[in-house]
Amino acid sequence: NAGVTQTPKFQVLKTGQSMTLQCAQDMNHEYMSWYRQDPGMGLRLIHYSVGAGITDQGEVPNGYNVSRSTTEDFPLRLLSAAPSQTSVYFCASSYSPQGVNMNTEAFFGQGTRLTVV
Amino acid sequence: AQSVTQLDSHVSVSEGTPVLLRCNYSSSYSPSLFWYVQHPNKGLQLLLKYTSAATLVKGINGFEAEFKKSETSFHLTKPSAHMSDAAEYFCVVSDPYTGRRALTFGSGTRLQVQP
């Protein structure tokens, strides 16, 4: 039972490069989301999806794109990397399309540590 | 709007002594509340969640949290710290009735356990 799988685990990019962070879950969860973690700021929501074909912006969406063509996959694209995007990125999924509540929980991947130089 | 305030960015205790990590929340509706733990270079693991069945919630590894609506608090406690408890702890609130259906994280409390 893999749960939520993120690849790669580490990545170094040059300013202006683009890349895609992969996220896959095998739990048939409807709700998936991307967060970034920065020191002293907890995790902040970038984008989320309540099902295949449906995505929406979170708290800090600028510079990132997402798509959801299947229930299992939710890739995060950096269009033109900037040093401000240096962070640890977490993908999370939850069974309920309503998100997370006391009857569900969010399952997190192991994270992708991205450095933009 | 929902928000979470973790009152201490760092807490240091000696092994075998009690742990208290403080959390206050703000939510427009009845919130769902969680504590997650993150060990160094690892993902996030659910410690416990408030389900409204009881105000005192028991979690894994001997941790507990008490929901106090009048104080809008959800403090995390453990009677006796172990070296393996050293990690970062996040208090989290979820308000499914907002548009984003997302989790709002506190800024985290780093727990150090001294031998």
Side-chain angles (χ1 to χ4, degrees), chain A residues 2-114:
Chain A
V4 179
T5 302
Q6 289 183 237
T7 55
K9 287 186 170 52
F10 301 93
Q11 183 70 50
V12 178
L13 287 180
K14 294 183 178 178
T15 297
Q17 286 185 317
S18 63
M19 79 159 293
T20 299
L21 279 62
Q22 301 292 343
C23 176
Q25 52 90 9
D26 61 359
M27 298 173 282
N28 202 32
H29 285 174
E30 293 290 339
Y31 183 88
M32 296 186 73
S33 53
W34 277 101
Y35 292 83
R36 58 176 290 171
Q37 181 181 24
D38 301 295
M41 303 185 75
L43 277 71
R44 293 179 293 167
L45 182 68
I46 304 172
H47 284 285
Y48 69 98
S49 168
V50 299
I54 307 170
T55 64
D56 207 343
Q57 297 181 348
E59 182 183 355
V60 288
N62 292 342
Y64 307 94
N65 272 359
V66 292
S67 60
R68 185 96 179 269
S69 56
T70 67
T71 299
E72 294 77 21
D73 299 298
F74 191 44
L76 178 73
R77 297 183 189 85
L78 280 69
L79 308 173
S80 177
S84 61
Q85 294 179 304
T86 293
S87 187
V88 181
Y89 292 85
F90 286 97
C91 178
S93 74
S94 174
Y95 172 74
S96 170
Q98 300 306 313
V100 181
N101 56 44
M102 60 182 68
N103 297 314
T104 67
E105 67 178 87
F107 292 84
F108 286 83
Q110 292 295 298
T112 295
R113 186 174 295 274
L114 176 68

Side-chain angles (χ1 to χ4, degrees), chain B residues 1 8-9 36 39 65 87 90 103 105 110:
Chain B
D8 307 289
S9 59
Y36 278 84
H39 290 278
F90 293 97
L103 300 172
F105 283 75
R110 185 164 299 277

